[in-house]
Amino acid sequence: MNKKPAYLTTGKFANLVGVSKHTLFFYDQKGIFSPAFKKDNGYRYYSIGQAETFAVISALREIGMPLDEIQSYLSSRSPEKFVHLLEEETKRLKTKIVKLQGLHDMMEEKKNSTRQALTVDFSRYHIEKQIEKNLLMTKVENVLDSRRYYYAFQRHYAKLDELGKRSSWLEGLMVPVSEVETMSTSYMGYLYTVVQNPTISNITIPKANYLVGYFQGDDQAIQSGHQQLLRYASENQYAVGDFVFEDIILDELSTGSYDRYVYKLSLQIKM
């Protein structure tokens, strides 16, 4: 005996597929997804078998396929065209997954750095072992010159976008130790971003011990922090590396004020 198909009202079908009745009406008007049949009194009925079709349409919408493209396909659908459609959308989805994973990693990084800032002790320095890092860096001729700093940021972001490898929200600044003593007037530095792929980095920082201190305030306070860190290293007879690394761990997103930014300064040392 043949099994009779089960038909559902608009409300029940909407509940089954997790959308509103308005969405079903809209899709019907656009010719994207229509009821199995309509009665003379205007009532609409969907078959349970249509749920799978609607799930595919919803998935295409979820990954960003425009309604007009879905409509265009449906107006001339065929098994061959459906295979091609899914192949193309699978490629787009893979690209989107990579981007979303990058956003996830960036958000985790920002969350962890902000959480770290809540427990810092501004009155003490400590020694921290840091792993090897591949960096993409861009030279800033004078960090105190806002125009040059802006153009350096432009070049830095353009390079990251070109490579499609921006993997951090936490751009840092590398300041040569030799520049620290002249900070009051001008100093050179390098913007940097950690990248996972060593082939696109232009410097690799080896794993090492770092003298670390946390400082809060504006540019002047941070400049003073650089000098304090070097002075502490000298007083404790630490041999120092070539750079002081300056990383913002609390910014305007959480402090609301530039002079309340929190910076982590790290200086490579040999004990």
Side-chain angles (χ1 to χ4, degrees):
M1 184 174 69
N2 292 333
K3 187 177 180 181
K4 288 185 178 181
Y7 292 106
L8 304 175
T9 63
T10 301
K12 287 184 178 180
F13 188 81
N15 185 60
L16 177 65
V17 297
V19 298
S20 68
K21 291 195 295 182
H22 175 75
T23 298
L24 294 177
F25 293 149
F26 178 74
Y27 278 15
D28 185 20
Q29 290 172 357
K30 291 291 184 180
I32 293 170
F33 184 79
S34 300
F37 68 91
K38 302 175 186 177
K39 286 191 172 182
D40 293 339
N41 60 8
Y43 284 4
R44 303 155 181 257
Y45 290 89
Y46 297 82
S47 72
I48 289 180
Q50 286 183 281
E52 183 176 352
T53 302
F54 190 85
V56 174
I57 293 173
S58 294
L60 294 174
R61 289 290 296 132
E62 184 70 24
I63 63 176
M65 187 174 182
L67 280 176
D68 58 349
E69 290 186 18
I70 296 175
Q71 185 180 33
S72 176
Y73 161 73
L74 292 173
S75 66
S76 59
R77 71 190 81 177
S78 71
E80 294 78 14
K81 288 182 179 180
F82 186 54
V83 170
H84 177 73
L85 172 70
L86 293 182
E87 286 176 344
E88 292 301 309
E89 292 308 315
T90 298
K91 292 177 185 178
R92 290 188 195 181
L93 181 57
K94 287 180 179 179
T95 300
K96 190 171 184 178
I97 287 172
V98 171
K99 290 182 178 180
L100 288 173
Q101 184 61 54
L103 286 173
H104 172 270
D105 294 344
M106 290 163 67
M107 292 176 75
E108 283 291 315
E109 181 183 45
K110 192 68 172 177
K111 179 187 70 177
N112 291 336
S113 69
T114 302
R115 180 176 289 152
Q116 177 189 29
L118 298 175
T119 61
V120 301
D121 185 347
F122 293 101
S123 65
R124 300 180 61 182
Y125 300 108
H126 70 275
I127 307 299
E128 180 177 291
K129 290 185 177 180
Q130 297 186 13
I131 63 173
E132 179 180 276
K133 293 178 289 189
N134 300 305
L135 309 180
L136 183 68
M137 65 179 190
T138 301
K139 187 175 181 179
V140 185
E141 294 289 347
N142 182 2
V143 176
L144 296 182
D145 185 327
S146 59
R147 184 176 61 87
R148 292 187 179 184
Y149 203 70
Y150 167 74
Y151 286 129
F153 257 108
Q154 275 194 324
R155 295 195 305 275
H156 191 70
Y157 283 162
K159 187 64 175 178
L160 288 168
D161 290 339
E162 174 190 335
L163 296 169
K165 296 295 182 182
R166 187 174 180 188
S167 58
S168 174
W169 274 340
L170 306 179
E171 284 74 28
L173 183 69
M174 299 163 53
V175 179
V177 168
S178 59
E179 296 284 311
V180 171
E181 293 301 325
T182 64
M183 275 187 163
S184 60
T185 54
S186 68
Y187 65 98
M188 180 264 290
Y190 299 89
L191 291 169
Y192 77 86
T193 298
V194 177
V195 292
Q196 301 303 319
N197 187 348
T199 63
I200 65 170
S201 70
N202 48 19
I203 185 171
T204 297
I205 305 299
K207 63 179 181 180
N209 290 319
Y210 285 80
L211 178 64
V212 174
Y214 294 92
F215 301 85
Q216 185 171 35
D218 57 15
D219 288 342
Q220 188 173 358
I222 304 311
Q223 291 166 26
S224 175
H226 280 265
Q227 295 168 351
Q228 292 175 45
L229 197 67
L230 280 174
R231 188 160 51 246
Y232 182 89
S234 176
E235 291 170 353
N236 288 272
Q237 299 182 336
Y238 295 145
V240 301
D242 296 327
F243 297 97
V244 179
F245 292 82
E246 178 184 309
D247 297 289
I248 300 174
I249 61 172
L250 274 189
D251 58 21
E252 190 173 353
L253 286 170
S254 51
T255 66
S257 173
Y258 180 68
D259 59 7
R260 294 180 62 196
Y261 277 26
V262 174
Y263 295 80
K264 175 182 179 180
L265 300 185
S266 306
L267 173 65
Q268 184 181 350
I269 59 171
K270 295 180 181 179
M271 303 171 64

